[in-house]
Amino acid sequence: MGDYLLRGYRMLGDTCADCGTILLQNKQRQTYCVACQELDSDVDKDNPALNAQAALSQAREHQLASAPDPPSGTRPAPQPPVPRPEHCEGAAAGLQAAQGPAPPAGPPNADVMASTREALLQKLAWASAELGSSTSLEASIQLCGLIRACAEALQSLQQLQH
């Protein structure tokens, strides 16, 4: 607002009907609301639906807010780095990288197969429920990747059994 005053705009005694900001008037007697004309465009960079970096920031804030506080005097376990949107190919890629190389293949144990299948079904149900209530674009993208990875893992388990 100060920049406009220095450029010759006058501050009026009226306020914007939309946002309540004091209106300015240029030399051609046109009224101007700084908040509606300029600040709205700045909001786009903070909108997670329009900006991947904002979505990632919101997802990180949500993770930090939902994490339990560690007891005083202890350090929390280091978390793996969250992939940046421009380098991310989905939650499945991050999950595969975090798990490391696959162990050597051997004959599948029926108990291991059953417990793995049950864990995958539980994770799939959880991710589906979370996706239904998610308002974050980045979280939704990650949940879709997790759902896809679970479905592919279930399909692989089914192929191993036959």
Side-chain angles (χ1 to χ4, degrees):
M1 198 177 273
D3 291 337
Y4 285 98
L5 293 172
L6 290 173
R7 286 191 271 161
Y9 281 72
R10 291 188 315 157
M11 189 179 293
L12 302 177
D14 297 326
T15 58
C16 176
D18 294 330
C19 68
T21 300
I22 295 174
L23 292 173
L24 301 177
Q25 185 180 58
N26 65 12
K27 293 177 182 176
Q28 290 78 31
R29 299 202 178 271
Q30 296 171 324
T31 58
Y32 187 77
C33 176
V34 175
C36 291
Q37 299 297 321
E38 292 188 13
L39 297 182
D40 283 346
S41 66
D42 287 344
V43 172
D44 291 350
K45 71 177 175 45
D46 297 328
N47 186 343
L50 301 175
N51 184 312
Q53 193 61 39
L56 181 60
S57 295
Q58 186 179 34
R60 285 181 182 153
E61 288 172 9
H62 179 70
Q63 288 173 347
L64 291 173
S66 62
D69 290 335
S72 61
T74 63
R75 299 180 77 184
Q79 298 293 321
V82 177
R84 293 182 14 208
E86 60 269 19
H87 298 108
C88 183
E89 292 186 16
L95 180 61
Q96 291 167 351
Q99 291 173 341
N109 180 330
D111 290 339
V112 171
M113 297 283 282
S115 63
T116 302
R117 183 178 184 279
E118 184 61 32
L120 285 167
L121 288 172
Q122 287 176 355
K123 187 62 73 174
L124 186 61
W126 173 84
S128 296
E130 287 293 311
L131 182 60
S133 63
S134 175
T135 58
S136 164
L137 177 64
E138 181 66 20
S140 296
I141 290 169
Q142 290 181 352
L143 287 167
C144 286
L146 177 60
I147 290 169
R148 182 178 348 118
C150 287
E152 290 171 356
L154 284 167
Q155 187 177 23
S156 295
L157 279 175
Q158 189 174 18
Q159 289 173 354
L160 283 174
Q161 289 176 336
H162 297 295

